[in-house]
Every structure is written in structure tokens, then in C-alpha cells.
Amino acid sequence: MSASGRTLACVSATTPSAATRELGDALRRWAGDGVSVVRVLDRHGFGTVGPGQLLAAHPGGAVAGRVFLGALDAVAVPLARAALQHPEARDAHVTESAAVHAGLACAGGARLLGHPLPAALALALGEALADGRPAALASTADGAAALVLTGADLATRHGGLGSVSADELVAQQGAALLRRGATSTERIT
């Protein structure tokens, strides 16, 4: 693996929410037009945060999904739109009052990664999320390559991270998280 590592974000729990299904519907509809996604690479503070921290953007300006209950929209939405063209990471911070207003336990900060999601990957991820099937989205830490895992054991692969060994490692980690019923973002180096 490269020094920049890989990151794995399982965005679908075993019991997906209505919001996750709506995000899946949007990804499925937009896949052919070009899609970008914003995910959380690292975070500090915020207390407990729900699963499925993913925001998607369409070239026409529409967005679906959210990160940190929308508290980071001021950074995440412009990042998603910029990421339609190229991967980019940005830091975002939420004050205590803004966090409480959004329904978060406390203030915090996050490193967000925005990157384009190729049509086939957006479609595969969207279909799985919309249908309530397990899915995981993995990418290189710089957003240059992505892998979508779908299916009951996350055994179906779409895309790749640049090497078979990286894809294997991420698939194993994703399957382990799924067996535990966990939805998580993990940095794998």
C-alpha cells in the first residue's frame, strides 16, 4: 500500500434508514450525468455520530445525503460541487451552538474528502443503498481511485484502488465490519 493509505467507509448498515435509501435513489438517477461524493476522512469531537456520512452532488447543482446532520453543509456542499472536477480535501469545524442546533452532542471538526465517483460505481452504490442492501465505498486517501463493494457479504466489486492486494484488504475489512453490524470509516495503511 502507498504511504497515503486507503480509507474504507461502509455507508450502509444492516438496517438502512430512509435517508440512506433516498441517497441511493439520487445516486442511481444521477450516475449517468456525473456524480461526486463527500465523505469524512477524520473527525474530532461531535460525540456519537450516526452512520452513513455521505453527501453526493450532481452537476446541475442538486445534492443528496449529508454529513454531521448538515452542520458542515457550508463546507461540504461547495466541496461536493468542486469535486465533480477533481478530488480535494478540506477541513471543517462546527461551533458548540451550531452543533447543538443541528442535533449533535458537541462541537468538533472533520477532514472531508470530495471526489468524483465514476458512473458505474455511482450506479452500483446507488442501487445497493436504494434497495437496502449492504454496500461500502472505499477510496484512496487522495480520492484518485475508488472501489464499491455490494452484496450480502460485500463480495461484488466495482472499480478498484490500483492493486489487487489493496482491493482484497479493503474487501476483507468491509466484510468484517459488516459481520459486526458496524458502519464506520476506517483508514487502512
Side-chain angles (χ1 to χ4, degrees):
M1 296 254 175
S2 71
S4 64
R6 314 276 181 221
T7 187
L8 169 68
C10 289
V11 297
S12 175
T14 53
T15 54
S17 67
T20 300
R21 288 179 188 266
E22 289 171 12
L23 173 61
D25 284 335
L27 284 167
R28 185 167 38 194
R29 283 191 318 272
W30 300 341
D33 298 331
V35 177
S36 67
V37 293
V38 171
R39 302 181 300 123
V40 178
L41 283 179
D42 294 304
R43 71 179 178 99
H44 59 276
F46 293 118
T48 302
V49 179
Q53 301 292 317
L54 185 71
L55 179 85
H58 179 269
V63 294
R66 61 188 185 170
V67 292
F68 295 105
L69 301 174
L72 297 180
D73 279 359
V75 175
V77 171
L79 175 59
R81 291 182 176 137
L84 287 161
Q85 304 303 318
H86 57 84
E88 183 178 337
R90 293 183 190 169
D91 292 321
H93 302 279
V94 176
T95 65
E96 190 72 30
S97 61
V100 170
H101 180 72
L104 297 168
C106 60
R111 180 89 174 145
L112 303 177
L113 172 65
H115 63 85
L117 193 60
L121 278 65
L123 183 60
L125 182 61
E127 287 177 344
L129 296 178
D131 295 342
R133 291 181 284 121
L137 171 61
S139 75
T140 54
D142 62 4
L147 171 68
V148 171
L149 305 168
T150 60
D153 295 325
L154 298 178
T156 305
R157 298 179 189 176
H158 312 269
L161 297 173
S163 76
V164 173
S165 63
D167 294 352
E168 279 294 320
L169 180 59
V170 167
Q172 290 170 4
Q173 291 281 15
L177 287 168
L178 182 64
R179 282 190 298 276
R180 290 193 330 250
T183 300
S184 166
T185 298
E186 303 227 350
R187 187 171 297 263
I188 301 168
T189 56

